[in-house]
Amino acid sequence: MNTTSASLAEGAPSSAATATPQAAGRSAVPSRRTVDAPTRVFHGLLALCFAGAYATSDSERWRLVHVTLGYTMVGLLGFRVVWGLLGPRPARFTTWWRKLQALPQALRQVRQGVWPATLLQNLAMALAIVAVLVAVALTTASGWITSEEFTGDWMAEVHQLAGNTLLALVVGHIGLVIVLSLLRRRNLAAPMLTGRQPGPGPDLVKRNIGWLAALLLAAVLAFWWQTWQDAPTRPAPTTTSGDSDDD
């Protein structure tokens, strides 16, 4: 190698070196954690249980599955109540309450001819979440009363009405997420899957708390397994006298 080529090799940056920072800049999109792992697992399990319970609501053959998923929803709701009191700030009920407190202000601005789009969107999302959880409580409570036969057949009709109302609220919640995602040009459902939201800023949730999410999932799976083990077996079909092997 002559002197000229050596100086070029030493002085000029290589193409790989110049490409690395650009590639790193494109791949390292800033994001922050906004949803903890237990909340995400709760959300996924609750959606799965409701879908399964609703699909098996009219089948006597799948009654055990329907009841099991209903009891699972009760346990998940109990976890969410505790987590709403002790969990990270974004998961607490106080966060929802602060959003709901903005309702008089939003109505006042609307009467004055001002349309507070962001404020109304946040209010709609908070109201939808609270309505879904309240409907879950009513549906599971009426289902338990119906299963234990504490009342007449009218409670079964209440349970069916509550389930249909919950379905309507869930569909409305999903539709609201889609509409707001289009308006804000950002996937609002993604943080419930990944826990992170694109954009700069500090993490709203300092710790992911993955161990508690794994414990919640393990508890649900263990409950399902135990219920399946304790399920009564179907009696073997009895043979008639015509099917006997006696001569």
Side-chain angles (χ1 to χ4, degrees):
M1 181 184 296
N2 54 33
T3 306
T4 304
S5 61
S7 60
L8 290 174
E10 294 174 357
S14 64
S15 60
T18 56
T20 300
Q22 297 175 357
R26 287 193 300 267
S27 60
V29 179
S31 65
R32 54 179 182 164
R33 184 185 297 118
T34 57
V35 184
D36 58 88
T39 300
R40 302 200 310 270
V41 170
F42 158 81
H43 184 272
L45 287 174
L46 187 66
L48 177 64
C49 289
F50 173 67
Y54 194 87
T56 57
S57 58
D58 294 330
S59 175
E60 188 64 28
R61 179 181 181 183
W62 296 96
R63 176 175 174 79
L64 180 61
V65 174
H66 178 77
V67 173
T68 300
L69 294 176
Y71 279 121
T72 305
M73 291 174 66
V74 173
L76 290 172
L77 188 62
F79 167 81
R80 190 62 184 89
V81 170
V82 174
W83 202 236
L85 298 174
L86 304 178
R89 180 173 298 178
R92 293 185 183 180
F93 297 143
T94 53
T95 301
W96 300 346
W97 178 244
R98 282 195 296 269
K99 293 180 179 180
L100 294 177
Q101 282 181 320
L103 180 59
Q105 176 186 353
L107 295 177
R108 189 163 51 250
Q109 292 184 14
V110 170
R111 286 195 299 266
Q112 294 173 354
V114 180
W115 186 257
T118 302
L119 187 60
L120 290 174
Q121 291 170 13
N122 292 336
L123 272 172
M125 185 63 71
L127 285 171
I129 295 174
V130 172
V132 167
L133 292 180
V134 171
V136 168
L138 294 176
T139 303
T140 53
S142 60
W144 176 73
I145 295 174
T146 302
S147 177
E148 297 296 328
E149 299 181 351
F150 289 148
T151 60
D153 295 338
W154 64 271
M155 183 56 68
E157 297 179 1
V158 171
H159 178 58
Q160 184 177 4
L161 176 62
N164 291 333
T165 303
L166 177 56
L167 176 63
L169 290 172
V170 169
V171 172
H173 174 61
I174 295 174
L176 182 62
V177 171
I178 294 175
V179 170
L180 293 183
S181 296
L182 294 175
L183 290 176
R184 299 184 181 184
R185 298 180 180 179
R186 177 163 52 89
N187 188 354
L188 298 182
M192 197 55 71
L193 299 175
T194 64
R196 307 194 69 86
Q197 177 178 303
D203 290 340
L204 299 182
V205 176
K206 301 303 181 182
R207 295 180 301 162
N208 196 36
I209 324 178
W211 64 269
L212 184 57
L215 186 61
L216 177 62
L217 178 60
V220 170
L221 294 177
F223 173 67
W224 289 352
W225 172 262
Q226 188 62 42
T227 303
W228 182 70
Q229 291 293 318
D230 296 340
T233 57
R234 290 187 176 182
T238 57
T239 57
T240 60
S241 57
D243 296 333
S244 176
D245 293 335
D246 294 339
D247 294 337

